[in-house]
Amino acid sequence: MKLLTLSSPHTTRSFSTADVMRLVILALIPGIIALTYFFGPGHLIQIFIAATTAIVAEAGILKLRKRPIGFYLKDYSALLTAILLAISLPPYAPYWVTIVASGFAIIVAKHLYGGLGQNPFNPAMIGFALVLVSFPVPMTTSWSAPSELLENGISLSEALTVIFSSRESIDAFTMATPLDEYKHLVAISTADEILANPLFKGTEQSQILLGWEWVSAGFLLGGLFLLWKKIFTWHIPVSLLVSLILCSSIFGWDSDTNVPLTLHILGGATMLGAFFIATDPVTASTTHLGKLIYGAGIGILIYVIRTWGSYPDAVAFAVLLMNFAAPFIDQYTQPRTYGHKKAVRGLAKKD
Amino acid sequence: MNLITLHEFKGGIHPPENKEQSTSLPISTMKLPEKLVLPIAQHIGAQSKPVVNVGDSVLKGEIIAQAQGFVSANLHAPSSGTITAIEDRVIAHPSGMSDICIEITLDGKDTWTEIQGIDNYLEADASELIAKIQASGITGLGGAGFPTHVKASVDESKIDTLIINAAECEPYITADDMLMREHANAVIKGIEIIERIVKPKHCLIGVEDNKPQAIAALNEALKNFTDNTFNIQVVAIPTKYPSGGEKQLIEILSGKEVPAGGLPSDIGILCQNVGTCFAIYKAISKGEPLISRITTVTGEACRQPQNFEVLLGTPVKDLLSATHTQLEQVNRLIMGGPMMGFTLEDTNTPVVKSTNCIIASSKQELPDPAMEQACIRCGMCTEACPAQLLPQQLYWFSKSSNLEQATAHNIADCIECGACAYVCPSNIPLVQYYRHTKGEIKQANADKLKSDRAKERFEARLARQEREAAEKEAKRKARAEAAAKKQAEKKATEAIAPATSADAPAADLELLQKKLDAAQSAVKKAKEKIAAAEEAGDSDKVALLKGALAKSQEKMKEAAKAIAEAKKAAKAAPATTGAAAVEMTPERMQNKVDLAESRLATAKKRLEEAQANNSEQVDALNTAVEKQQARVAEAKQALAEFLKQESAAPSVDLDALKQKVLAAQTRVDKAQERLDMAKQQELDTVSALQTGLEKQQSKLKEAQDALAEASK
């Protein structure tokens, strides 16, 4: 009889980091289905490109860092980063945009900072921000029109052609996102005129946003699933959405001059950001109060950048800006420990 | 139904309970083992001290190790037999270390020593009850093993609520559950005894709601107590680990938190384990000391998991064989529960007062831990922590040995329940990190204390050295000043000396004489020349030569005058130097006085003769007598003064003695200091330094005595 000598606890829950990542990927599926249904197979192709790049990059850098490759690849974290990045990118962006973004996310934003758990910034959003700033043209002209507005939809071969070789046929089916469109039109038109636009009007089934509300609903569903599974707590999504709603209601109540609330909530990457990007535990605040502040900060920044900034969407920049603040927020939002009268604020002072 | 409002503690987990395996069979009694091994440290506090020797025969219940001090506990022989060893044996400790154990080889008769309970114990004094508990060696049976009499000796006016901890929240363990099912009456009677001691307003028995049979049994037993004066109430609490943690149970039942660093009594609560109540009942009513306890033996490798009433000191291997454990299947052998228990390396480890469970787990049941992954800061640990800490922050601080921040993040409030490590998806052994950091902090604090003391000592030494140096310097200066003064005085006397010395004027005198001779010869020559010139009739030359002659004559006169003065001085000098040279001794002074007196006597005699002859000399003689009288008085005074000076001289010795005492004192202080230092560092020079110190002290004593003598 050979006895193990180990420290307590002797029993642990059989729920690993890989399980967490897998659950998050699973929760993304409804949103991805909605994206594919309304905007064609572009996102699926991007997921494939991003995932391949990410896994190759991860394996390569793990080899360089002399880490066990199989052990770390099995945690699914690179795959999750790739998927989040791919569904944030425009579905018909050229393949090299995706490769650059994905490679940069894994190599620079993740591993150069020390790998899983050590990166201060959300890798997917770093990749996204890099290509958005570096390649603005393909990044703003690669969103497709909802397939319902196209006669034949977008076939897989068309999608592959646009992404990998010729971009000549792209004008046939690309269109700005509703958020972008409304923002540009509101300067010269009233709300009624803008909403008469086919992008908003659409068909009888989808009254206002033509597909985008379903995509948002898909991500919301996945997010609620993760909440139920206790993968993250309610604090970040709720404070993010509440602060965005408040900002929009206070500053943008007039839809003749501002993007309306419904478009803020359902028209862009808000739901994806609130449930999947901002809740990335590695880069977010970790205390309850901190999470509320962190989420609210992102919500406010999203509104500020969308309204007064020049970018069509703002989730990536808002999240990255708050990533900066997260460690600081954590220090000042420690919970009150059992038996203590007051919570500790800030780090211990050096003598 | 609960009549009180329950509160929920934050955090907590729901691990698989695994309790039903060991509750299917009733509590059984083991057959007597051959030998019992009893560690003398089975409790928190000072080790008890063996009071038996190898070869002594002992009866069941006889005391074999005596408590040392108040926070300590007695140890009794769990059965009758012979003491066969008192030596180091492996004990129940996470490190698998050894400690002093008393081995009893049992005679199998299990003969009781004479025991006596307290009759009418419900009317007994609290102090009598506490004394009996103390004598019976009862410690908290929940796990920590704190001496019960210490806990019970609380100011009764402080206690509002007595909480009986019967939550038993750890998986696998069913010892308390089975105890309550089978001995509910005794448990309630035990609670009554504690109530007589601390007199609470009410008493709550907290039981997790996964023990319905125990709850029912307690409620049934309570019905028999019509005089439920202290308002005992069974409270079913939701099953959630670690509800049985003292702080958590208090929070659940009262909504209050035990202040950090404080005790439950600070908020009017006393907490006792249900098993302890049973032990108290047995000790008070029957006089049985704590010699056995109920222990669960379970785990997948056990074929027949169940609870036993085990004699303390029974080796774990006897329990394993009693449950028909397949030893080859045992992968981890745990004493305690799976959340907070520790692994055993040796099946000879004995059961002690705090052993509530033995888990013989198979590899499938509690698999080897998976490889530690990176922390993804998922925060699941934060959600699970019942102390509302930030486990992952503590983990980062632990990993980087940032003790300062770990302390600031209240790592000391971690109760090591293991909830964080249980939920961690990255398989990080968080509790182990915290234990390590707590140890490091403890070590760092101890080191700091030590270095602070050393610093203090060093500074004191430096100050003392400076003081001594300053004193030395002052002394040196005083000496130098005195020397300089002496030198100056000497110089001054030397400056006067040439005028008064006899040699120097002698030389001068010779010189002057030569000058005089020269002047005389010059005068003679000049006179001759004048004579020659007069003869030659050279009047001009004569006038010139007369002038020169006058000059020479003047020089001669001056020289003669100088010689006369020098001679006068030379005459006076020996008198003064002679007076100075004569050393003053009392004898000489006395001689002088005698001489003066005899002269006076002669003068008086002459005066009388003159008066008788009616001589004209009477007046002159009268004056002479008066003069002589004055001289006698003078001489006497001089003698008296001289004697006075002489008697003042010993005061110099007194000062020297004082110096000696001071020096001896310093040496004693130094020796004391060195001894203290050695004692602190536990050096083996202590005894040598002790003798040194004693020597110095005796020297000091001598010096002091001498000083006392001298100042008389």
Side-chain angles (χ1 to χ4, degrees):
Chain A
M1 178 172 55
K2 197 166 173 282
L3 294 174
L4 272 179
T5 305
L6 286 167
S7 156
S8 68
H10 303 284
T11 175
T12 54
R13 190 166 57 156
S14 54
F15 186 72
S16 67
T17 304
D19 293 331
V20 175
M21 301 293 172
R22 259 202 303 266
L23 266 184
V24 178
I25 293 171
L26 200 68
L28 282 168
I29 289 175
I32 295 173
I33 290 174
L35 279 172
T36 309
Y37 178 81
F38 288 103
F39 302 104
H43 277 115
L44 292 179
I45 298 165
Q46 300 294 5
I47 288 172
F48 180 78
I49 301 169
T52 311
T53 311
I55 288 167
V56 170
E58 173 110 337
I61 205 133
L62 282 171
K63 193 169 164 54
L64 285 176
R65 291 180 67 202
K66 298 187 174 68
R67 301 291 154 107
I69 297 170
F71 177 75
Y72 281 103
L73 278 183
K74 269 188 259 168
D75 66 20
Y76 292 94
S77 61
L79 187 62
L80 177 59
T81 302
I83 296 174
L84 287 172
L85 174 66
I87 57 179
S88 308
L89 290 170
Y92 299 101
Y95 69 96
W96 49 269
V97 167
T98 314
I99 291 175
V100 168
S102 185
F104 193 78
I106 297 297
I107 295 168
V108 178
K110 184 180 176 185
H111 278 288
L112 291 194
Y113 280 103
L116 183 63
Q118 307 278 358
N119 48 302
F121 303 106
N122 188 315
M125 289 303 103
I126 288 275
F128 180 84
L130 175 83
V131 290
L132 181 61
V133 173
S134 310
F135 318 117
V137 177
M139 283 298 285
T140 43
T141 59
S142 302
W143 280 100
S144 77
S147 49
E148 284 178 48
L149 294 182
L150 304 169
E151 268 180 39
N152 303 315
I154 303 161
S155 72
L156 186 63
S157 61
E158 267 179 306
L160 287 170
T161 311
V162 166
I163 293 171
F164 284 103
S165 57
S166 162
R167 297 188 62 76
E168 279 163 21
S169 62
I170 195 165
D171 291 344
F173 56 84
T174 57
M175 199 183 244
T177 62
L179 205 59
D180 203 8
E181 189 77 1
Y182 200 107
K183 192 176 154 185
H184 283 105
L185 291 176
V186 81
I188 46 168
S189 327
T190 63
D192 289 340
E193 287 166 3
I194 299 168
L195 291 176
N197 186 307
L199 181 60
F200 298 100
K201 192 70 187 162
T203 58
E204 289 295 315
Q205 285 79 32
S206 47
Q207 283 293 318
I208 33 169
L209 289 169
L210 215 61
W212 278 101
E213 74 271 38
W214 288 106
V215 171
S216 290
F219 288 129
L220 175 63
L221 185 70
L224 293 175
F225 167 72
L226 293 180
L227 207 53
W228 173 63
K229 278 292 200 179
K230 293 186 177 164
I231 299 301
F232 51 74
T233 60
W234 56 267
H235 303 79
I236 292 177
V238 167
S239 74
L240 190 155
L241 293 174
V242 166
S243 67
L244 183 57
I245 290 168
L246 282 178
C247 282
S248 180
S249 315
I250 294 166
F251 301 107
W253 52 272
D254 182 3
S255 57
D256 284 344
T257 51
N258 286 297
V259 177
L261 177 61
T262 45
L263 212 51
H264 270 300
I265 299 299
L266 303 171
T270 306
M271 284 299 169
L272 177 66
F275 287 96
F276 293 91
I277 308 288
T279 52
D280 166 36
V282 176
T283 55
S285 186
T286 55
T287 62
H288 285 174
L289 181 59
K291 284 174 183 172
L292 290 176
I293 296 171
Y294 176 83
I298 294 174
I300 293 166
L301 284 171
I302 288 176
Y303 186 80
V304 168
I305 299 172
R306 277 182 184 173
T307 309
W308 295 291
S310 57
Y311 287 102
D313 207 343
V315 172
F317 292 116
V319 167
L320 291 175
L321 282 170
M322 287 312 286
N323 284 166
F324 269 112
F328 180 74
I329 294 172
D330 276 355
Q331 299 308 336
Y332 283 88
T333 53
Q334 294 174 40
R336 182 187 62 85
T337 308
Y338 178 102
H340 286 254
K341 286 206 178 76
K342 275 197 316 199
V344 179
R345 293 280 176 255
L347 288 172
K349 286 192 182 70
K350 292 249 185 268
D351 296 325
Chain B
M1 200 184 76
N2 294 328
L3 294 172
I4 66 153
T5 329
L6 291 180
H7 305 262
E8 203 191 348
F9 69 91
K10 294 205 176 69
I13 52 172
H14 295 95
E17 291 172 14
N18 284 310
K19 286 184 188 261
E20 56 292 338
Q21 295 97 311
S22 54
T23 52
S24 56
L25 294 168
I27 299 172
S28 146
T29 317
M30 299 246 314
K31 77 171 192 325
L32 282 180
E34 266 178 49
K35 286 174 179 180
L36 296 175
V37 178
L38 294 126
I40 58 167
Q42 302 195 12
H43 50 264
I44 287 178
Q47 280 193 344
S48 52
K49 192 176 156 199
V51 289
V52 288
N53 293 309
V54 175
D56 288 0
S57 55
V58 288
L59 293 176
K60 185 176 188 168
E62 217 172 283
I63 190 159
I64 54 171
Q66 185 88 42
Q68 297 296 302
F70 186 59
V71 185
S72 185
N74 288 338
L75 188 60
H76 303 79
S79 187
S80 58
T82 319
I83 308 290
T84 42
I86 300 177
E87 61 190 20
D88 272 10
R89 293 283 176 85
V90 63
I91 59 160
H93 191 274
S95 69
M97 69 178 204
S98 298
D99 197 10
I100 296 169
C101 295
I102 300 172
E103 186 192 68
I104 306 174
T105 302
L106 303 186
D107 56 15
K109 292 177 196 148
D110 208 25
T111 327
W112 271 101
T113 183
E114 203 178 308
I115 52 170
Q116 182 69 52
I118 299 175
D119 300 330
N120 279 329
Y121 57 82
L122 289 181
E123 266 91 63
D125 265 1
S127 57
E128 193 187 345
L129 294 172
I130 291 174
K132 187 71 186 172
I133 290 171
Q134 183 172 10
S136 305
I138 296 174
T139 63
L141 298 184
F146 194 75
T148 302
H149 65 269
V150 181
K151 229 175 170 182
S153 306
V154 63
D155 180 7
E156 62 181 52
S157 64
K158 273 173 90 175
I159 302 303
D160 172 73
T161 310
L162 174 65
I163 288 179
I164 303 302
N165 190 343
E168 203 169 50
C169 60
E170 274 236 35
Y172 287 94
I173 311 176
T174 55
D176 289 347
D177 186 4
M178 294 308 288
L179 169 75
M180 289 185 281
R181 289 192 203 182
E182 296 186 18
H183 300 282
N185 267 311
V187 166
I188 300 289
K189 282 176 179 166
I191 295 170
E192 271 201 323
I193 294 166
I194 303 172
E195 290 186 324
R196 291 304 185 278
I197 297 172
V198 295
K199 304 189 177 59
K201 289 198 186 70
H202 58 287
C203 168
L204 304 171
I205 309 176
V207 192
E208 271 193 348
D209 55 14
N210 61 358
K211 303 173 191 61
Q213 285 163 286
I215 295 169
L218 287 175
N219 279 324
E220 189 62 35
L222 271 180
K223 281 183 194 159
N224 304 332
F225 293 85
T226 44
D227 60 336
N228 191 352
T229 44
F230 288 108
N231 196 8
I232 302 174
Q233 195 185 326
V234 182
V235 187
I237 59 171
T239 300
K240 178 167 89 166
Y241 179 84
S243 64
E246 189 176 70
K247 291 175 172 181
Q248 280 65 43
L249 186 62
I250 287 171
E251 195 177 1
I252 294 169
L253 294 177
S254 72
K256 293 182 202 166
E257 290 181 7
V258 181
L263 292 170
S265 60
D266 296 342
I267 50 169
I269 290 169
L270 182 74
C271 218
Q272 286 289 358
N273 174 267
V274 66
T276 316
C277 299
F278 182 58
I280 289 174
Y281 168 71
K282 286 203 288 185
I284 300 289
S285 72
K286 300 177 192 159
E288 282 182 26
L290 181 61
I291 52 166
S292 69
R293 65 155 299 138
I294 295 169
T295 301
T296 310
V297 186
T298 182
E300 238 175 43
C302 284
R303 280 215 196 125
Q304 204 184 74
Q306 69 178 112
N307 282 277
F308 290 97
E309 178 150 10
V310 189
L311 293 181
L312 301 181
T314 306
V316 167
K317 64 178 178 193
D318 287 26
L319 288 172
L320 296 181
S321 61
T323 49
H324 311 288
T325 303
Q326 293 161 295
L327 293 179
E328 67 284 356
Q329 266 198 28
V330 182
N331 185 46
R332 263 194 242 201
L333 186 60
I334 300 167
M335 186 174 273
M339 295 304 295
M340 292 182 77
F342 52 89
T343 51
L344 298 178
E345 291 172 7
D346 191 339
T347 51
N348 287 314
T349 311
V351 167
V352 292
K353 290 177 181 177
S354 54
T355 307
N356 49 12
C357 184
I358 300 289
I359 305 172
S361 75
S362 69
K363 195 160 184 152
Q364 297 76 38
E365 192 179 17
L366 298 177
D368 297 355
M371 191 166 148
E372 184 179 332
Q373 282 173 282
C375 169
I376 54 165
R377 315 194 341 136
C378 64
M380 289 179 190
C381 48
T382 312
E383 299 303 314
C385 181
Q388 290 133 269
L389 295 164
L390 293 173
Q392 48 142 329
Q393 303 281 22
L394 292 176
Y395 158 72
W396 292 112
F397 295 138
S398 295
K399 220 175 170 181
S400 57
S401 277
N402 191 341
L403 305 185
E404 196 181 25
Q405 297 305 342
T407 310
H409 280 67
N410 299 326
I411 195 170
D413 290 285
C414 169
I415 57 169
E416 297 177 22
C417 67
C420 51
Y422 177 81
V423 297
C424 180
S426 292
N427 301 308
I428 303 170
L430 292 164
V431 180
Q432 185 56 17
Y433 275 102
Y434 306 150
R435 282 199 192 110
H436 176 78
T437 303
K438 281 179 177 177
E440 275 195 319
I441 291 171
K442 205 172 158 190
Q443 185 63 46
N445 286 345
D447 286 350
K448 189 171 181 296
L449 199 71
K450 208 172 167 186
S451 75
D452 282 354
R453 276 204 195 130
K455 201 177 156 196
E456 232 169 78
R457 258 199 323 266
F458 175 72
E459 276 166 2
R461 181 163 171 261
L462 218 60
R464 199 199 67 222
Q465 281 175 338
E466 267 168 28
R467 199 183 60 229
E468 282 175 0
E471 276 169 13
K472 236 181 184 173
E473 180 64 20
K475 268 188 205 162
R476 195 189 63 74
K477 258 190 185 161
R479 267 205 310 274
E481 265 169 32
K485 219 174 169 183
K486 230 177 176 178
Q487 200 70 35
E489 270 170 17
K490 206 175 161 191
K491 262 189 187 162
T493 45
E494 269 173 12
I496 303 163
T500 52
S501 88
D503 297 350
D508 281 357
L509 219 58
E510 246 169 68
L511 205 72
L512 289 168
Q513 195 64 54
K514 271 179 186 166
K515 264 186 184 170
L516 182 62
D517 290 350
Q520 273 171 346
S521 65
V523 168
K524 209 177 166 186
K525 269 179 189 168
K527 274 180 179 170
E528 276 169 13
K529 272 178 186 171
I530 291 170
E534 273 176 350
E535 266 173 32
D538 191 346
S539 61
D540 283 359
K541 214 177 180 180
V542 170
L544 211 71
L545 285 169
K546 273 187 179 170
L549 175 65
K551 252 183 199 169
S552 293
Q553 278 172 331
E554 213 169 313
K555 265 188 188 167
M556 199 182 71
K557 265 183 198 166
E558 265 173 40
K561 206 177 171 186
I563 286 174
E565 268 174 27
K567 277 188 178 164
K568 209 173 168 187
K571 222 179 187 181
T576 41
T577 45
V582 174
E583 204 190 331
M584 286 302 188
T585 63
E587 289 79 31
R588 285 200 185 153
M589 303 282 280
Q590 193 61 52
N591 283 348
K592 257 191 176 175
V593 173
D594 291 347
L595 191 67
E597 268 172 343
S598 70
R599 275 188 193 155
L600 177 62
T602 323
K604 276 183 179 166
K605 217 177 174 182
R606 277 198 195 147
L607 178 60
E608 272 165 12
E609 274 173 13
Q611 276 171 339
N613 299 340
N614 209 2
S615 161
E616 297 165 69
Q617 288 177 316
V618 170
D619 281 351
L621 284 170
N622 239 346
T623 333
V625 168
E626 269 165 29
K627 245 186 202 166
Q628 288 299 339
Q629 271 173 337
R631 273 192 195 155
V632 169
E634 214 174 284
K636 272 188 178 166
Q637 202 184 340
L639 176 63
E641 256 169 39
F642 189 80
L643 286 175
K644 216 172 163 188
Q645 264 180 19
E646 201 85 316
S647 71
S651 74
V652 178
D653 286 352
L654 217 58
D655 280 345
L657 282 174
K658 271 182 192 163
Q659 293 280 2
K660 243 186 190 173
V661 171
L662 275 180
Q665 185 70 53
T666 328
R667 275 199 291 275
V668 168
D669 288 350
K670 258 190 218 171
Q672 185 71 49
E673 208 171 273
R674 261 185 234 138
L675 177 63
D676 287 349
M677 208 182 323
K679 271 184 184 166
Q680 224 160 48
Q681 293 168 355
E682 287 164 11
L683 296 179
D684 41 19
T685 51
V686 170
S687 62
L689 288 170
Q690 185 73 46
T691 20
L693 174 63
E694 276 160 18
K695 240 182 219 170
Q696 292 296 351
Q697 276 168 337
S698 69
K699 272 189 188 166
L700 171 64
K701 186 102 200 307
E702 269 170 36
Q704 277 168 337
D705 288 347
L707 177 62
E709 194 83 2
S711 37
K712 265 180 205 166

